Amino acid sequence: MESQLNFNIENSFDSRYSFCARQELDELPYSFTITDPTICGHPIVFASKGFLKVFGYSKDEVVGKNGRVFQGPKTDRKSVMEIREAIREERSMQINLLNYRKDGTPFWMLFHLSPVFSKEDGRVIHFVGVQVPISPPRRPRWSASGVVRNGANMCEEGDRVCGNTNIMFGSCRREVCSDTPVELSRVLGLLASESVLDDSSRERHSLPGAGILSSALNISLGRIKQSFVLTDPHLPDMPIVYASDAFLRLTGYAKDEVLERNCRFLSGADTDFSTLYQIKESIQTEQACTVRILNYRKDKSSFWNYLHISPVRNASGKVAYFVGVQIEEGCKNQDRNGLCPEMRHRSVVGAVKVAVRSLSMGAGPSRS
């Protein structure tokens, strides 16, 4: 089992990139790692010399490990969750993070994460993580002129302060922000020549459209026992293209009464229109949102719905579907698994994204 895992880790990097590309990556002076989300534990499959120098580890001590080994007691949990969410959504992100070297000393770094897409089937095959050491963030001191003063660093009013978990914006630490994209683009540029899709190619490998779900995706979604629906924003009126059995039980409708309809059929006379507008706005901006909304069953009885809506992106990073997760307020069985509503929402959204990702992974040509 362990030998197979070691083989997968070694093969993940060596089989995808040519010897020349691997040699060039190895010679880059930047601190970065390449990880494989398709292998159990999402391990590091490549660590640059710059990374090993910054963290004080040898290559053998890093490859095969998950990035969490560099975290410590003062690493901000919220920052870690933001990174995990970006990985689940297969998108880039940048954040301040406190990590620890091998000798236990903590240090602040600007961490930039970006996915790498396969040109065979459009799925995410790797993530690149670039680490840039930065000075510890300090509490801002406001001067009479309205300027934030952080020691030698200054941010004009209106720029976002670089706190523990904030993304870098504006003029604050401009020298760090300007260098990081250069380092990342250099790494991605080497990978792009062999493994990354261009935008037109990604579109050809996007997930099924026109409201038609494959049988494989239907089977995967059917394993999720919570109440949820999947809608297609690319079709007129954004209809439901999948409804779980738990959703049908909750609302009292049959499947053929739900599919191809917009979710507004659950609204009624006392549904708050400002809440509906909030949902509409989040969909238009492709953002997740959570609301408490009064909905109606088929028998006209009402119930308070703790609703969470989240976009589901395809391999190119574009929204393919929206998932809506419903939890009836006051339901006796809502805490049967010991999870709070927010965790149940995240659990369903995560499971849906895994199902969609698995479809994308299986859509490409088979490889020996």
Side-chain angles (χ1 to χ4, degrees):
M1 189 73 176
E2 185 176 349
S3 60
Q4 181 63 43
L5 179 61
N6 292 335
F7 172 79
N8 291 340
I9 292 171
E10 183 176 349
N11 191 57
S12 169
F13 183 70
D14 292 347
S15 67
R16 294 191 182 279
Y17 310 111
S18 69
F19 173 78
C20 291
R22 299 199 306 270
Q23 192 173 39
E24 283 193 64
L25 286 169
D26 199 44
E27 292 174 355
L28 290 176
Y30 316 129
S31 172
F32 68 94
T33 56
I34 299 175
T35 61
D36 191 334
T38 68
I39 298 177
C40 180
H42 194 162
I44 294 170
V45 296
F46 177 85
S48 71
K49 292 178 181 176
F51 176 89
L52 300 176
K53 182 178 179 181
V54 169
F55 282 84
Y57 287 91
S58 66
K59 181 180 177 181
D60 292 339
E61 292 174 313
V62 169
V63 173
K65 301 295 193 299
N66 184 279
R68 72 174 68 93
V69 300
F70 310 114
Q71 299 165 15
K74 293 187 178 180
T75 302
D76 185 56
R77 297 300 103 187
K78 182 180 177 183
S79 299
V80 175
M81 291 303 296
E82 288 184 40
I83 295 171
R84 290 178 181 174
E85 185 65 21
I87 292 172
R88 280 197 295 267
E89 296 180 358
E90 299 181 342
R91 58 176 171 82
S92 299
M93 64 95 66
Q94 185 170 286
I95 197 169
N96 282 8
L97 191 67
L98 182 68
N99 267 357
Y100 289 75
R101 296 184 174 89
K102 181 181 178 179
D103 62 11
T105 58
F107 73 102
W108 282 96
M109 69 177 187
L110 174 62
F111 178 68
H112 193 116
L113 180 78
S114 187
V116 179
F117 298 97
S118 166
K119 62 181 166 184
E120 292 183 352
D121 53 20
R123 65 189 177 93
V124 173
I125 54 173
H126 289 139
F127 279 91
V128 175
V130 177
Q131 305 84 14
V132 180
I134 59 175
S135 303
R138 301 177 183 178
R139 289 182 176 274
R141 299 194 304 273
W142 289 92
S143 69
S145 60
V147 174
V148 181
R149 300 183 182 276
N150 283 329
N153 300 304
M154 296 177 65
C155 301
E156 295 300 326
E157 185 175 7
D159 286 343
R160 191 170 177 181
V161 177
C162 299
N164 292 21
T165 61
N166 290 344
I167 296 172
M168 294 289 193
F169 284 112
S171 61
C172 190
R173 303 194 191 278
R174 184 181 285 114
E175 72 284 358
V176 172
C177 299
S178 61
D179 290 344
T180 308
V182 174
E183 298 176 358
L184 181 65
S185 63
R186 177 66 175 141
V187 176
L188 290 177
L190 286 171
L191 303 181
S193 62
E194 302 182 24
S195 295
V196 183
L197 292 163
D198 57 29
D199 289 338
S200 59
S201 299
R202 290 176 194 168
E203 288 304 307
R204 291 196 294 273
H205 292 289
S206 61
L207 294 172
I212 301 174
L213 300 186
S214 70
S215 58
L217 182 55
N218 270 291
I219 292 172
S220 296
L221 294 175
R223 298 191 181 104
I224 305 171
K225 303 306 180 184
Q226 310 276 4
S227 174
F228 74 96
V229 295
L230 203 65
T231 63
D232 191 333
H234 305 291
L235 294 178
D237 208 26
M238 195 173 163
I240 295 171
V241 293
Y242 182 88
S244 69
D245 291 340
F247 174 86
L248 301 178
R249 290 193 298 270
L250 173 64
T251 61
Y253 287 93
K255 183 164 291 189
D256 58 358
E257 296 175 310
V258 169
L259 296 181
E260 301 183 6
R261 297 181 68 181
N262 185 281
C263 292
R264 74 174 69 91
F265 74 90
L266 294 173
S267 303
D270 294 325
T271 301
D272 185 3
F273 283 94
S274 66
T275 305
L276 293 175
Y277 179 79
Q278 182 181 348
I279 294 172
K280 181 180 179 180
E281 193 174 46
S282 71
I283 291 172
Q284 289 176 341
T285 57
E286 299 183 349
Q287 299 293 320
C289 80
T290 304
V291 298
R292 179 177 178 266
I293 186 170
L294 187 67
N295 280 157
Y296 290 80
R297 298 182 177 87
K298 182 179 179 180
D299 63 7
K300 307 302 181 185
S301 62
S302 63
F303 66 98
W304 283 104
N305 181 7
Y306 190 47
L307 173 67
H308 180 78
I309 297 172
S310 179
V312 179
R313 300 179 184 275
N314 61 19
S316 66
K318 295 183 178 180
V319 174
Y321 306 106
F322 275 88
V323 58
V325 187
Q326 304 81 20
I327 297 179
E328 181 181 2
E329 187 175 86
C331 178
K332 294 180 180 179
N333 295 324
Q334 69 178 8
D335 294 324
R336 62 186 181 280
N337 295 320
L339 297 177
C340 65
E342 291 80 5
M343 290 303 297
R344 292 181 64 190
H345 282 153
R346 291 185 182 183
S347 174
V348 176
V349 171
V352 170
K353 289 179 178 178
V354 168
V356 171
R357 184 184 304 169
S358 298
L359 172 67
S360 178
M361 289 170 63
S366 60
R367 294 193 298 271
S368 56

